[in-house]
């Protein structure tokens, strides 16, 4: 069974810094063992399998620095970057617990930078994370 947790960053964020944070959360080294996938207007940074981590991390971001449209048909809201942790197989209860931990550690990184974010745990509904004290419409 595949478990995916997606965090959508609602404020501008450097995709490479976010990806470095995701690799750190997974306990992976920051050098090598990842690749960039060119999807045209959107790129994806992704860790490579077989590194001993129980999940892969990927960051999807628009090349032009604008907002990522999300995937409205799949219920994924738009934002400046989408961070996904994906695990295949294994003990479902243990994997879900691990994804909660990954979400907590990744969201702490975002919150410390005062970035607004939402997340979907195991393909569930999106829940609002931290929202900086910034009046609506000024972002």
């Amino acid at each position: 069974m595949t478990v995916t947790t997606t965090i959508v960053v609602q404020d501008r964020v450097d995709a490479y810094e976010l990806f470095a944070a995701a690799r750190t959360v997974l306990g992976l080294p920051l050098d090598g063992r990842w690749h960039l996938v060119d999807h045209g207007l959107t790129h994806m940074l992704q860790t490579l399998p077989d590194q001993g981590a129980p999940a892969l991390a990927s960051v999807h971001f628009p090349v032009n620095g604008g907002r990522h449209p999300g995937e409205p048909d799949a219920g994924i809201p738009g934002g400046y970057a989408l961070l996904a942790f994906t695990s295949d197989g294994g003990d479902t209860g243990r994997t879900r617990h691990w994804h909660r931990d990954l979400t907590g550690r990744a969201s702490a990184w975002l919150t410390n930078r005062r970035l607004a974010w939402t997340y979907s745990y195991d393909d569930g509904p999106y829940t609002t994370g931290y929202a900086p004290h910034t009046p609506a419409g000024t972002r």
Side-chain angles (χ1 to χ4, degrees), residues 35-46 58-63 68:
H35 63 265
L36 173 71
V37 180
D38 181 346
H39 291 292
L41 298 176
T42 302
H43 284 178
M44 176 181 69
L45 301 165
Q46 184 176 47
S58 61
V59 172
H60 308 254
F61 63 99
V63 177
H68 186 287

Side-chain angles (χ1 to χ4, degrees), residues 23-137:
R23 287 181 288 159
T24 300
V25 162
L26 287 171
L28 296 174
L30 296 180
D31 57 343
R33 308 276 332 239
W34 60 273
H35 63 265
L36 173 71
V37 180
D38 181 346
H39 291 292
L41 298 176
T42 302
H43 284 178
M44 176 181 69
L45 301 165
Q46 184 176 47
T47 58
L48 298 177
D50 301 324
Q51 295 188 67
L56 294 177
S58 61
V59 172
H60 308 254
F61 63 99
V63 177
N64 67 5
R67 288 183 60 83
H68 186 287
E71 294 180 30
D73 293 341
I76 300 173
Y80 286 93
L82 282 71
L83 166 60
F85 293 108
T86 304
S87 298
D88 286 326
D91 175 2
T92 303
R94 184 181 223 180
T95 301
R96 288 182 177 159
H97 179 73
W98 175 244
H99 275 252
R100 283 189 191 105
D101 184 52
L102 291 174
T103 302
R105 289 190 277 152
S107 64
W109 185 89
L110 294 163
T111 300
N112 286 337
R113 284 151 183 79
R114 298 185 48 83
L115 298 171
W117 50 274
T118 61
Y119 73 97
S120 170
Y121 166 71
D122 194 18
D123 296 325
Y126 276 82
T127 304
T128 300
Y130 180 78
H133 301 288
T134 304

